[in-house]
Amino acid sequence: MKMSPVVLVCCVLVAAVAPRCSSEMYTSLLNVKQAISVERKLIDYLRTYIDHEQERLQDIKRFYTKVSDLHSELYKGPAAGMANPLVAFTLIKRLHSEWLNVVYSNEALENAQALRSSYEEEEAELPKLEDLQGAAKGLMRLQDVYALQVSSLARGRFQRVANGEAVDVYMPAVSIPLSGDDCFLVGKVAYEQEDYYHSVQWMEESVRLFRGTRGEWSPENEGTLEDALDHLAFSHFKTGNVSHALSLSQELLHHDPMNGRVLQNVEKYEKLLVAAGPPRGDGLRRPTSTYLRTRETYERLCQTQGSQPMHFKNPRLFCDYFTNNNPALLLMPTKREVLSLQPFVILYHDFITDVEVEDIKSLAQPGLRRSVVAAGEKQATADYRISKSAWLKGSSLSVVGKLDQRISTLTGLDVKHPYGEYLQVVNYGIGGHYEPHFDHATSPSSPVFKLKTGNRVATFMIYLSPVEAGGSTAFIYANFSVPVVEKAAIFWWNLHRNGEGNTDTLHAGCPVLIGDKWVANKWIHEFGQEFLHRCSLNPEE
């Protein structure tokens, strides 16, 4: 396949996107939104490049028309025009210099270089290869947790199979279909991790879409039909489906008959089929998770998005206007909903105002960094927590200080530092989630004890934004989940009254399917609460 120099330069530009740019964009939707403005600038640069190239091509077309007209009108015979010395001179000049200037013009290179320079000005703000891989993993996470069909995702739909039919999990207001190259890149991320369960599904969709375009090449694509067939064939082989691997390899040979490696694979697959007898069928198995031991319950609770009818039939659960016997709440009590008794979980509706939400998000944005988890005595990033977070200190007059006072009024606890940690603001990314975990420390070496104020006795989490789908808070062992309720706050006790950790508080932040999820966490410690939340020797309390 031949490419013009202009197309080749564009290919180089596209290939250059991956290696050098800001990282972990995929872990926060805020960063993804900010990337839109960067692409707007790139669009303007590309428009300028196209205008300059069109001007250059118009000049070339004018030269072509001039020369063509001379050959169709003036040079009708071998010596007809040569008798005129002016005609002879212009012919010699054209062949000596004009054609040379057109063929070896630097204008195309200069236009491409101008585009490249403009691109490099924005390069620091562009996603890295890590972001592309993280975004692909986010799509696969959504696929798994919400049992979504890859074929529906490729069409821009969010569907799962129920009773043999595809049903919509959610209908987004704005959607976009995926190309064969989009699916190829997702499948390639899985393939490179030797996750053939996902690579088979995404590569199959990639092959289908590439076939639909009859394998036509596009300069912005990284993959081709041949690439997708190659990866899919080997993925099927690794899952034990040798017959599929053989047929795909044979199809690949039609496009690339002299590919020695594929010829060897075909010979190998044919021998394996003869030795093994009839095909054993599809061997696709989801990869096991060493960390997520409660996967089935976790995914079921995420899929129900807060709806457990039997749970809410408990007559001891109720809603009321709550004052906590505090004079500050007498005239304006809080709307309280008791969600669970074991563990004790409460939802406070309309806890925060719209203005306070925007203030908190604005304060947090400059300090957002990749969220970490406890790793022994240290903290580290992990794939089972995808978000960015910032810590906000508060004075008595600041919006953070006012929220602290409101939390203290509702819970009756001392939440000032160091008895309460600073307010943590979190923004979730593509498929952003936090798999099942405890908020309280389960090891004496945990960083939670750095404040020297004991363990985390309670959690107060504020929902700063709505989400369209997903993002529920799932309590795994207690078997219920709470959907995101905008401007509400959820509160629960992490420890029993005797100081032991309550295992029923194992909880998770389900992946965000559609929406931009923001939360603020306030973790309250044991010390400072001695006379506010009395301890007990009874292990049942």
Side-chain angles (χ1 to χ4, degrees):
M1 176 176 57
K2 300 178 77 173
M3 293 186 286
S4 71
V6 173
V7 173
L8 182 60
V9 169
C10 289
C11 291
V12 172
L13 287 176
V14 172
V17 171
R20 306 183 307 236
C21 28
S22 60
S23 64
E24 298 183 340
M25 179 183 293
Y26 72 98
T27 61
S28 170
L29 210 59
L30 172 67
N31 298 132
V32 177
K33 289 181 176 179
Q34 290 169 341
I36 295 173
S37 63
V38 178
E39 188 169 47
R40 286 199 186 103
K41 292 182 183 178
L42 293 178
I43 291 171
D44 292 338
Y45 298 148
L46 191 58
R47 178 72 262 173
T48 302
Y49 170 77
I50 290 170
D51 291 342
H52 290 164
E53 280 295 281
Q54 286 178 337
E55 291 173 9
R56 185 179 67 84
L57 289 173
Q58 286 298 327
D59 290 338
I60 292 174
K61 287 179 181 178
R62 179 182 49 74
F63 177 75
Y64 169 82
T65 301
K66 180 181 78 170
V67 177
S68 297
D69 289 346
L70 286 171
H71 279 265
S72 61
E73 297 174 8
L74 190 60
Y75 305 148
K76 291 183 178 178
M82 296 308 101
N84 186 332
L86 299 177
V87 173
F89 170 78
T90 56
L91 173 64
I92 291 171
K93 174 181 176 288
R94 263 198 325 277
L95 291 173
H96 175 73
S97 62
E98 290 183 16
W99 275 96
L100 183 73
N101 292 337
V102 169
V103 172
Y104 290 98
S105 170
N106 289 325
E107 192 175 1
L109 183 61
E110 290 168 0
N111 291 343
Q113 185 58 48
L115 175 63
R116 179 177 296 184
S117 297
S118 299
Y119 166 84
E120 288 173 351
E121 290 179 9
E122 310 299 329
E123 197 169 13
E125 303 300 323
L126 296 175
K128 294 178 69 174
L129 177 60
E130 176 188 358
D131 291 303
L132 179 61
Q133 293 172 337
K137 291 176 185 177
L139 291 181
M140 288 184 276
R141 184 181 309 118
L142 294 174
Q143 170 197 348
D144 287 349
V145 173
Y146 296 107
L148 302 176
Q149 288 182 298
V150 174
S151 58
S152 71
L153 290 172
R155 297 194 306 272
R157 304 283 293 273
F158 297 88
Q159 296 178 320
R160 72 166 66 105
V161 174
N163 299 321
E165 295 185 359
V167 296
D168 287 311
V169 174
Y170 186 79
M171 289 286 288
V174 177
S175 189
I176 186 171
L178 300 179
S179 68
D181 191 57
D182 294 332
C183 295
F184 172 76
L185 283 171
V186 177
K188 188 179 177 184
V189 170
Y191 180 92
E192 289 173 349
Q193 293 184 319
E194 299 183 358
D195 173 8
Y196 302 111
Y197 169 82
H198 288 105
S199 68
V200 162
Q201 297 179 69
W202 285 93
M203 287 296 177
E204 281 184 343
E205 197 59 30
S206 174
V207 165
R208 185 186 69 80
L209 291 169
F210 274 133
R211 283 171 177 160
T213 63
R214 297 181 180 178
E216 292 180 3
W217 179 82
S218 297
E220 70 270 21
N221 286 354
E222 178 176 321
T224 62
L225 174 59
E226 291 87 341
D227 293 329
L229 286 169
D230 198 4
H231 284 75
L232 180 57
F234 189 74
S235 297
H236 271 304
F237 166 68
K238 293 297 288 187
T239 60
N241 200 333
V242 181
S243 60
H244 270 60
L246 175 60
S247 62
L248 290 164
S249 298
Q250 289 170 335
E251 180 181 350
L252 179 54
L253 284 177
H254 285 294
H255 300 280
D256 188 6
M258 303 307 293
N259 191 316
R261 179 178 54 80
V262 178
L263 285 167
Q264 289 179 352
N265 285 345
V266 167
E267 184 179 352
K268 174 182 177 181
Y269 297 154
E270 288 174 340
K271 289 180 179 178
L272 285 172
L273 286 174
V274 170
R280 292 176 294 168
D282 199 315
L284 285 182
R285 296 286 187 277
R286 270 183 70 180
T288 57
S289 173
T290 55
Y291 174 77
L292 185 54
R293 299 191 181 104
T294 56
R295 183 162 68 183
E296 289 186 10
T297 303
Y298 165 60
E299 292 179 354
R300 175 177 56 79
L301 292 172
C302 290
Q303 289 173 19
T304 54
Q305 298 182 42
S307 175
Q308 288 82 37
M310 296 303 293
H311 172 80
F312 291 107
K313 288 182 179 180
N314 188 334
R316 297 175 63 195
L317 302 177
F318 60 89
C319 298
D320 66 357
Y321 285 96
F322 181 65
T323 66
N324 199 24
N325 295 320
N326 191 307
L329 295 174
L330 288 177
L331 294 179
M332 190 176 290
T334 297
K335 290 180 280 188
R336 177 179 68 164
E337 181 179 353
V338 179
L339 300 176
S340 171
L341 299 175
Q342 179 55 18
F344 189 67
V345 182
I346 294 174
L347 189 70
Y348 296 108
H349 291 266
D350 297 321
F351 172 80
I352 193 171
T353 67
D354 290 324
V355 173
E356 289 171 330
V357 164
E358 293 308 314
D359 287 346
I360 290 293
K361 288 163 68 174
S362 296
L363 288 170
Q365 284 181 22
L368 286 174
R369 300 292 183 272
R370 173 76 181 270
S371 298
V372 295
V373 297
E377 296 182 5
K378 299 181 180 180
Q379 294 182 316
T381 60
D383 283 344
Y384 58 81
R385 188 182 189 188
I386 299 298
S387 61
K388 283 189 174 179
S389 55
W391 297 88
L392 301 182
K393 300 179 182 179
S395 64
S396 58
L397 297 178
S398 69
V399 61
V400 177
K402 291 176 181 177
L403 288 180
D404 281 350
Q405 181 58 48
R406 201 175 304 157
I407 294 171
S408 182
T409 301
L410 280 175
T411 62
L413 300 174
D414 187 346
V415 304
K416 292 180 181 178
H417 196 271
Y419 306 124
E421 296 178 34
Y422 294 126
L423 190 71
Q424 185 196 56
V425 181
V426 183
N427 180 224
Y428 288 83
I430 299 171
H433 71 142
Y434 193 173
E435 287 184 358
H437 62 282
F438 295 108
D439 280 356
H440 63 273
T442 56
S443 167
S445 61
S446 171
V448 168
F449 293 113
K450 284 186 177 180
L451 287 177
K452 301 187 184 303
T453 52
N455 211 337
R456 289 172 173 170
V457 68
T459 294
F460 197 97
M461 183 171 69
I462 308 166
Y463 294 117
L464 299 176
S465 67
V467 295
E468 297 174 54
S472 299
T473 304
F475 287 84
I476 309 303
Y477 294 146
N479 194 35
F480 75 97
S481 56
V482 184
V484 174
V485 180
E486 184 182 8
K487 295 184 290 186
I490 185 172
F491 171 79
W492 67 87
W493 297 103
N494 293 308
L495 307 179
H496 292 295
R497 283 188 177 269
N498 64 357
E500 295 295 321
N502 186 349
T503 56
D504 285 331
T505 62
L506 184 73
H507 65 286
C510 295
V512 179
L513 185 59
I514 303 287
D516 185 9
K517 183 181 176 183
W518 288 79
V519 301
N521 298 308
K522 187 72 176 182
W523 286 300
I524 307 163
H525 284 233
E526 293 176 281
F527 297 178
Q529 323 304 335
E530 291 86 347
F531 301 103
L532 303 173
H533 181 68
R534 295 183 182 275
C535 62
S536 171
L537 297 177
N538 184 354
E540 301 301 321
E541 288 189 84

